[in-house]
Each structure stands twice: as structure tokens, then as C-alpha cells.
Amino acid sequence: MAASVPRLLFWSSFVLSGIFQHPVDARPGPRPTLLNRRATNDTGRPCGALFEIIEEDLRQQLFPVFNAGDVYSCLTAVPFLKDVGLRFIEYYNTTLQFQSTLAYLESPPAEYQQPGVDVVTELGRVKQKVLDDQYTRQLDFEYDIHSIVHAVHDDHVNLFIGITAAFSFASPLDFVSASLDGKSLPKPYLKDDIVKARKAGWVEEPSPVATINNIDANEFLTQFSSRNAFGYLESHADWNDMFEHPTNDIQGFYGTLGGRLLFYPGNGLDDTFNITLEDGTEYTEHWLAFLNQLHSPGPLETAGDFYNYFVLGLAPPVEVNDGDDSGLVFDFEGENGLRLIAIKVDTDWIEESDGAFPEPEVAQPFLTLSGGGVVTGYFQDDIGILSIPTFEQFPDEAKNFSNTVQEFISKAEARKVNKIIIDLQQNRGGSVNLAFDTFRRFFPEEPDSLPWTWAGSRRRSHPLGDLVGDAVTQWWKGLDPEDDEQLFDKWDEAANEFVIAAKINPLTNTTFENWVEYSPGSANYREDRFSKVERLNLSDDQVLYSAFSIETVEDDPYGYGGNPVTTQQVWKPEDIVILTDGLCSSTCSLFVGFMQQAGVRTIVAGGLPETGPMQAVSGSRGTRAYANYLLDWMLKFTGQLLADNSSLPNIPIDYETRDTGLWVHHAGFNLRDEILKSDWEKDPNAEHIPRQFQYEAAHCRIFYTVRNIYNMTQLWSDVAQAAWKDPSLCVEDSTGYANLPDQPAPVPAPTRPPAQDARVVINTGATRGGPGQDPDGVPIFNEGDVVAGMAVKRAGLEPCGAGDKCPGNSICQSVPVNCANGERPKATEAKYCLPLCKPAVNTCAQFASDVKVNGALRCDLRYEAVTKSRKHDFVGLCAPREGIKPQNLCPGRPAA
Ligand SMILES: *[C@@H]1O[C@H](CO)[C@@H](O)[C@H](O)[C@H]1NC(C)=O
Ligand SMILES: *[C@@H]1O[C@H](CO)[C@@H](O)[C@H](O)[C@H]1NC(C)=O
Ligand SMILES: *[C@@H]1O[C@H](CO)[C@@H](O)[C@H](O)[C@H]1NC(C)=O
Ligand SMILES: *[C@@H]1O[C@H](CO)[C@@H](O)[C@H](O)[C@H]1NC(C)=O
Ligand SMILES: *[C@@H]1O[C@H](CO)[C@@H](O)[C@H](O)[C@H]1NC(C)=O
Ligand SMILES: *[C@@H]1O[C@H](CO)[C@@H](O)[C@H](O)[C@H]1NC(C)=O
Ligand SMILES: *[C@@H]1O[C@H](CO)[C@@H](O)[C@H](O)[C@H]1NC(C)=O
Ligand SMILES: *[C@@H]1O[C@H](CO)[C@@H](O)[C@H](O)[C@H]1NC(C)=O
């Protein structure tokens, strides 16, 4: 359950490999400005002019920033190719068959707060448009696909493809939304005005924003957030996602409005962004665009080049003058082709939050933007505050995370603190084991019979999934532990999603025998079928190793495996509250679920400028974020296991994976839904509505205020007041909607608001540039190149830097170059940074827990480590089994 938002550390080390999603979340220090930005109003070559700027900025180590319209001119000039589009739809549709919630999305229960969407039908509509020649521009096609992805409102379902992955749009100013006194409805403010007023001791009240582009500011932002926010279960969370927040600042992220917009926000011709404050101050600014991938695109010139590079993943061939006759070399991975921008990451995070965070009294080591430390603790009067902005940690950091939580608890106990706030604002998830670990630190004892950390889940049953599950489970069960190689596989793959034989069937309290026992189960909804419920066995060393890369018992989650409970519960559930802003997702959702089942209450902050309840967890409540590249490997592996593999999606000869059509950096989906313990207990055989579609109101909602939005001390004290002293501080009509254990909510969930009429804030219709203006608009590509180049990228490898430098957690090694048949490699070996087998999220933890196939990375080059506690302990490097096919060394066409 990796969060979809990796940390800056991750981004800055791996951005060059191109596979990591959300690079745009990274924050290049203070907001970049358009100083000296030349207009690229050269309509003859809208993309060429852009690339010149990128080259120039990178040379000067500047973060490339543009007027949004200049980027839009280039994007709209990129042509559309029907065949590529159709192949992508095929790829994506097959991928989304694994999305657990299709039937519920099509016909959601009444308490679900977003409009439903029939994903497959919508994809079919786009396909029909392609067939009817209705697309002439790649951008329109990608926007239509993204509109479907947005309509899923599940943070685990994300997509980074083609030209929309190249840039993000941004407002030129930072906004927050806050109430004057906690009672009156919030209004938008400029963040800088709030911080300035705070620093001046509030001698003057900041003035709210009255209008944006002549529309009432709240109205503008409401519409804007419903179109642009990504992955939330209700519009209150969509709203919060737009704005800046201190907890975003300390993680290096912008709010969506401030730097993560996918859809072009201007109106096609005039990019002005005008705001007027209530005191009459006016700003006339322009929407901005940021480059997402900080490597030089090289000599790209035309919209056709842009197509090749960003849609197909191909760099244009350039002549080299060194007498080498092989021609096709463009070194966009090597030393000359890229320049890493110097980004200030080791900043003090209190400073980074404009002083909103006070000095912590407990802090995880390396508490800087890039440092890996995230947990902090504070004491105010008799209240202890534990701030957990993310669960995203590498395995070696996870230990310190856990220790810091314990240190906080011990200090709080010693100081006789009697109330606890756990602040999970902006927490998008991360390492699942930390949800279990953190929970047990607060509640070391839990009922054995049906533990609060039950964490049951189930998936969609469909023929392709069943085929894979059946084959892979049989393979795993057949591995011979006497054979070293097979023993490695057994450990590596114990938690593979398609190995069901290590998962617990709660109907029998034993592990599943085989896939058939598991899927399809009897559950049915809207004629769709689902598996039985499965549970993780957290006492199984193999599972802990495979799922969380945990190698020694000391690192097992607290209270599990070989790490027994040694402490006692300090606080009663009613003395703990959880603070969220609705954006809590994934592992965060799991953690809040555990805490709620133990009786802990939630307080949620912010939301739309209206009264009423709000949910505490509106990010994904799914239990497994999965990704296209893992699925592709599983499909290929299955193809090799089956005698008759003809029913698998076509994998063209020489392709590493299924044909993606266009360049898919990342396509995430949710594989398993959480099924609540309370629902299961009622009737294990009934249809269970996934937690994702249930209404889970917070126990109390508060508005952010002008005084507390950039002052955490004030915010926490306001939370404590509302939680324990004066419930009337909760927003009007926001209480009574939430369950406490064994008590139904007194007030039923609100019904789904009617679908909003899509008033157009975004207009993608107006043309600047456009197809046909480019003299060399015809894209040239060689499909083999796409896949060969991408295989290395997907595997997460990047070439070593000068002096064999590699990012942390990886080591420079020579790997064999092994090009496609008929290709003449330019070298037999190349130096690449191989990741250590331990790290989490997208590197080795996932490689270690999923079957690897030829050519992809696996945890290879192992060294057996001697430890007291485990049968086998390994350290190793993730290496490609059969060498790599780097695009700059494999020419991509047969040698003469
Ligand atoms: C872009 O427009 C500005 C203002 O209209 C003009 O001064 C400039 O010459 C134009 N640049 C190009 C490259 O056409
Ligand atoms: C998507 O896949 C499903 C299941 O295989 C199929 O019924 C449907 O027609 C496909 N839709 C498109 C648009 O390819
Ligand atoms: C913004 O203000 C400028 C200057 O008054 C005006 O020309 C422009 O049309 C305005 N833009 C919008 C989108 O209202
Ligand atoms: C964990 O904390 C210790 C100090 O307590 C530090 O020496 C070590 O480097 C930290 N490890 C990581 C990965 O942060
Ligand atoms: C499985 O274990 C649970 C909890 O210990 C128990 O309530 C249930 O009866 C058991 N089921 C079976 C089939 O043994
Ligand atoms: C979980 O794993 C442990 C250790 O391998 C094993 O003893 C236990 O039987 C497993 N639990 C179930 C329910 O299979
Ligand atoms: C299907 O099996 C054949 C024969 O074993 C193999 O060559 C081919 O690569 C397999 N296809 C897939 C998609 O795995
Ligand atoms: C935040 O608010 C508290 C309580 O009102 C105040 O004591 C503190 O000085 C404020 N912090 C800053 C940085 O202004």
C-alpha cells in the first residue's frame, strides 16, 4: 500500500529514471518566479521555443518555469495518432479489470459522496471517439482519459502518461482557506498575507480574497477543486487539497492549486489570473507551468519530436560527429544529456513551514526535507501532540520512526500528559507495517478473537486475475525449500499478491489451500464477483520479510512476529483524538480504522465553506495500491508458467511487457478493498460494502482559522478545546454522524449531493498552435526502441554519475548490455546504480515481493548475512537478470 506521493528524497535521487510518479510534488525551494522569462510567442514552433528555454534554464541550474499558455501552445500542437491511442486504451482497460471497485463505482451506495462512474463504458466512449476520428490532438485524448481517472476518486488509481506527465500547471500565488473566528464560514486568503500578519503580531487583519477572475472566490475555487482535485471521496477533501498547508511545506509539496494542476487552467488565449482582495487590492498575474522531469530533453524541436519523446518515450536521433557510423545515439540518460538541478533539500523544516511548526521536543533523527525523519512530538500544557505527516519510510528508517513514537509515548507518560492528539494532516500513507506498529504502541493489548488490527480485504474476481492467481499460487506451493534458489523465491514471494497460499482465510482460520478456494467467492454486487476475504499473517516470518522487507525480529512491527509487547496502554481511547484534514489515505486510512475500532475519536479540519459533517479519511481506503509494471511482470511470468498461454493479453515478440501503446510512466490501481471487521462479524457470508464506499464522518469538524492555519501551536490548542472542553467549537451540524464502537451513529449519513453541472472553468477548446502548424509534424518511431528503453526505466535503474556516484541506497556496478536480436550493442557492459534489496516503495521491497521475470530486476547478487534470529537473512542488490537494453547503447534497429 504505497502512498502515491513519494518523498522529495526519493524524487531527487530518482527523478532521472523517469518512472517515479508525482515528481511534480517536489518543491524547488521557494516558489519559482518568472523572472526574465521570455515569451515563446513564436507560434511557428511552439515546442521548439519551449525546449530552448528548458535547455537554457538547466544550463544555468534554474528550475524551468513558464507561462501556462506557452506550454499549452506546445501541448496542443502535438498530433494524435489513432493506432497508438487504441493500443493504450486496450492496455489500460485490461489493467483496470484489476481495479477492485468497478461495480461499486458504477452504482455506488447512497452514502457515497461523489458521483458514480462506469469506468469501462467511459473508456469505450473514448475508444469510439478515436475510431470516429474525433481526436486531432494528443492533449484532448489524454485529458479525456484523465477525466475518467479523476472520476474514480481513489488516490490509488493514478496515471502518468504521455504529454500530460511532462508539465504541471500552477497558480502564481499561494492560497489558504480560513475562518475569521472558527464560526464564520472560511474565506480564501493569500498565504503570505496570513504569515505576514502573524509575524506582525496581528496588528492588522489580513484581507480575504474576494474574487478570482471576476468570479466570487469561494465559488471559483469550489468549481475549480471539483475538476482538479485528485483521488478523494468527498468535495470537502477536494477543497482542502487545493491549498497550501504547513504539513505540506515540511514535506516539500505544494497544494494542488499551488503547483500540481494536471489540466490547463487558463482559457486558451488569455492566461491572466486576476484576484481582488476585499480591501480592494488587485493582483494581475499569469497561470504558470512547471517542467516535471528535470532532465534535458536535448535537441527536441518540433511538436513531432515532442510526440516521440513524451508520448512514445523516444528521443530524436541526432548525428554524432565522432566518426561513429551507428548513427542513432541520443544520450538522454548519460552524463551529457542530463543535469541534475541543485535543489536545496536539507532545509530546516520549521523554517520551511514559515514558523508554523514549533520546536519539537521529540524528533526522529534526520528531520529535514530530505532526511528521512518525519515523526515529531510536542507538549502543550497537559496535552501531548504526535505529528505523523506520512508513513512513507525506507525499512531502515522505519525502525527510527517506531522508536520515535515510543520515545514520545514514554516522555508523555513521564510528564503525566493526560490527553493525546495524533496529527495526521496531509498523511497520504506509506509503509503498511507502520500502521500496525504505531497502533500497537498506543494499544499494546487487543482482543485476540477479532483484533482491531483485523485488516480484512478482498478483491475483484475476473477471469484474467483468476488465471494469474491460480498459476502463481501453484508455482509458489511447488517450490522446493531444499533448493537454495527456490527457497529464495519462496521467501521473496510469500506476500506476492497472487500467492494466496500464505494468506489467512478467516472462515477457516487457516491459510488458503489454493486460488479456487479464494476466488471467486460468493460475494456479488451489481453482477460483479469478488473473492473471499483474506488476512495477512503477521506472525509469519516469510510474510514479514516478503511484504515489508523485514529481516530481523527486532524490526518486526511492535506486537507481531518476534517483537512482543513490553509496554502497557497509557491512555484510554477517549483521551486520544486523531486530527486529519480528510486527505488521509492508504496506510493512514488503515491506521485511523484501527484507532477508531479501539474507540478513538477523530477531528477533521477545513473543508468547503459550508457547515455540516465531514469525513476524516477521504483518500483511498483501499488496502493495496498496485501498479501496471508489477502487473505486467505477473502476466509475463504467468505466460511462462502456463502450457497454454493464449488467453493472456498479447505480449508482442521482443517486448519486455504488454504493449502500452504510449509511454506509461505509472498506472496505479487498487487491488484490494478493506472489509470492516464489524461488517464481517455480522455475517461473514453476506455482501460487504467496501469501507471505501461507506460514510465515515469525523466525530467533530473544525474550520481552520486565520490564527491557526499557519500556527500549529494554536491549531492543536483549538483541537484540544473542541475535543475535551467545549464541543460547541465544532462546526455547526458536524457532530453525531460518527460511530463509536458498538454504537450506531445517531444521525444517518447525508445523501450524495447531486452531480454538479460542469461549469467550464477550464476550456481546452480554444486553439493556439494546433496540429499542422509544425513543418515536421510526422512522428518517426520504432516500437522496439520504446520498450527497450523503457525496460531499463521501469526497472528503476539509472546510469552511475561521474566518479561512479550513485544515489543513497544504491551502488554502482557493471551490468551486461544485452540488446535485442540483431542489434549491435555499443558496449558489452555499462555501469548502473543498482538499488539495495531492502528499500521500500517502488524499488526493492516491491521487487522482492513480486515475481520477477527475465530482464527485470530481482534481488540478485546476494550476500548471506549471519543473524541470530532468522533462517535466512540477505543483503543484496537489485540487478537485472539478463542484462539491460539501454537505449543509448542498443541502437534499436538491426545492425547492417
Ligand atoms: C513576442 O511578443 C512580444 C510582444 O508582443 C514581441 O515584442 C516579441 O517580439 C514576440 N517574440 C517573438 C519571438 O515573436
Ligand atoms: C474492457 O475489457 C472488458 C473485459 O475484458 C471488455 O468487456 C470491454 O469491452 C473492454 N472495453 C474496452 C473499451 O476495451
Ligand atoms: C485580468 O485583468 C486584466 C487587466 O485588467 C484584463 O485585461 C484581463 O482580461 C483580466 N483577465 C481575466 C481572466 O479576467
Ligand atoms: C536512526 O537513528 C540513529 C540515531 O538514533 C542514527 O544514528 C541512524 O543513522 C538513524 N537511521 C536512519 C536510517 O535514519
Ligand atoms: C476463527 O477464529 C475466530 C477468532 O479466534 C473465532 O471466533 C472463529 O470461531 C474461528 N473460526 C473457525 C471456523 O474456527
Ligand atoms: C501464521 O504463520 C505462523 C508462522 O508461520 C504459523 O504458525 C501460523 O499457523 C500461521 N497462521 C495461520 C492462521 O495460518
Ligand atoms: C507463451 O508461451 C510461449 C511458449 O512457452 C512463450 O514463448 C511465450 O513467450 C509465452 N507468452 C507469454 C505472453 O508469456
Ligand atoms: C502561535 O500561537 C501561540 C498561541 O496563541 C502563540 O503563543 C505563538 O507565539 C504563535 N506562534 C507564532 C510563530 O506566532
Side-chain angles (χ1 to χ4, degrees), residues 421-712:
I421 297 171
I422 302 177
D423 182 348
L424 300 172
Q425 292 178 94
Q426 303 286 338
N427 189 319
R428 263 75 161 199
S431 309
V432 183
N433 47 320
L434 289 173
F436 290 90
D437 185 285
T438 308
F439 174 75
R440 289 298 280 277
R441 299 264 170 213
F442 285 94
F443 295 97
E445 304 302 335
E446 57 173 344
D448 279 341
S449 52
L450 271 174
W452 294 318
T453 49
W454 192 72
S457 67
R458 79 168 186 215
R459 73 186 83 192
R460 178 167 187 257
S461 292
H462 59 107
L464 184 56
D466 287 342
L467 191 72
V468 175
D470 196 41
V472 177
T473 297
Q474 278 190 43
W475 164 80
W476 187 80
K477 285 188 72 174
L479 291 171
D480 175 7
E482 297 305 313
D483 175 304
D484 246 15
E485 185 85 355
Q486 296 192 37
L487 182 67
F488 287 157
D489 283 342
K490 190 113 192 165
W491 279 72
D492 274 356
E493 306 309 331
N496 184 306
E497 286 296 339
F498 294 95
V499 171
I500 206 63
K503 298 288 184 73
I504 298 171
N505 176 357
L507 287 172
T508 61
N509 293 333
T510 59
T511 48
F512 285 99
E513 262 311 297
N514 50 39
W515 194 267
V516 178
E517 188 192 340
Y518 168 69
S519 170
S522 52
N524 230 292
Y525 184 83
R526 301 286 299 181
E527 293 166 23
D528 208 0
R529 310 191 71 177
F530 300 90
S531 69
K532 293 205 174 79
V533 167
E534 62 175 272
R535 291 189 55 215
L536 266 180
N537 184 352
L538 287 171
S539 317
D540 185 338
D541 280 358
Q542 286 186 3
V543 170
L544 289 166
Y545 170 75
S546 171
F548 309 128
S549 304
I550 294 173
E551 298 187 346
T552 62
V553 291
E554 300 85 67
D555 291 347
D556 285 346
Y558 185 56
Y560 299 91
N563 189 3
V565 161
T566 56
T567 56
Q568 287 185 335
Q569 182 178 329
V570 184
W571 299 280
K572 297 197 288 284
E574 58 268 31
D575 292 329
I576 304 176
V577 294
I578 283 179
L579 168 65
T580 78
D581 49 7
L583 306 183
C584 173
S585 183
S586 203
T587 298
C588 180
S589 159
L590 200 63
F591 175 72
V592 173
F594 295 163
M595 295 297 273
Q596 281 176 339
Q597 290 174 67
V600 169
R601 287 172 302 151
T602 51
I603 291 197
V604 68
L608 287 166
E610 61 190 35
T611 58
M614 176 172 166
Q615 302 183 78
V617 177
S618 285
S620 185
R621 298 179 193 155
T623 56
R624 178 61 155 114
Y626 210 67
N628 62 315
Y629 62 97
L630 297 172
L631 180 61
D632 290 346
W633 288 338
M634 294 312 302
L635 290 173
K636 189 168 184 203
F637 184 68
T638 305
Q640 291 162 352
L641 294 173
L642 295 177
D644 172 11
N645 61 25
S646 55
S647 51
L648 287 175
N650 183 32
I651 299 176
I653 291 169
D654 278 355
Y655 275 42
E656 289 290 330
T657 65
R658 278 187 297 154
D659 175 17
T660 60
L662 49 87
W663 186 0
V664 179
H665 301 247
H666 188 94
F669 54 94
N670 185 63
L671 192 64
R672 288 187 276 112
D673 286 322
E674 180 171 3
I675 301 301
L676 287 173
K677 181 184 76 134
S678 48
D679 289 340
W680 164 268
E681 277 176 313
K682 270 181 228 144
D683 178 0
N685 295 305
E687 184 236 325
H688 303 116
I689 297 191
R691 185 172 167 216
Q692 174 85 357
F693 290 87
Q694 303 198 13
Y695 189 78
E696 275 187 9
H699 294 81
C700 160
R701 172 184 174 203
I702 57 171
F703 289 137
Y704 288 116
T705 66
V706 171
R707 293 288 192 278
N708 74 24
I709 181 68
Y710 262 79
N711 182 338
M712 302 302 272

Side-chain angles (χ1 to χ4, degrees), residues 75-81 136-139 163 303-304 307 311 771-772 777-779:
L75 294 180
T76 50
V78 178
F80 178 72
L81 288 194
T136 54
R137 316 189 301 191
Q138 176 71 13
L139 189 65
I163 60 175
Y307 189 91
V311 181
V778 189

Side-chain angles (χ1 to χ4, degrees), residues 213-214 267 270 272 274 284:
N213 284 348
N214 294 325
N267 58 10
D270 173 2
T272 46
N274 297 340
T284 303

